[in-house]
């Protein structure tokens, strides 16, 4: 029973960290997260082209 409680504690902690990471991404990206809208992480649309 102690082992099950330990794994449940780890699972709840991992879900909390994932939720906080998603919340931080949403706050700092400046764009709202919309379902079925691709997430643009690596390049801004108004970034200059160096090629």
């Amino acid at each position: 029973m102690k082992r099950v409680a330990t794994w449940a504690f780890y699972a709840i902690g991992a879900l909390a960290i994932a939720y906080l990471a998603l919340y931080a991404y949403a706050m700092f990206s400046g764009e709202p997260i919309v379902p079925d809208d691709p997430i643009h992480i690596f390049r801004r649309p108004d970034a200059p082209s160096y090629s």
Side-chain angles (χ1 to χ4, degrees), residues 6-39:
T6 302
W7 279 107
F9 181 76
Y10 287 154
I12 291 170
L15 286 174
I17 290 171
Y19 176 79
L20 288 174
L22 182 61
Y23 181 77
Y25 170 75
M27 287 296 106
F28 292 121
S29 68
E31 296 180 10
I33 297 178
V34 179
D36 295 332
D37 186 28
I39 298 174

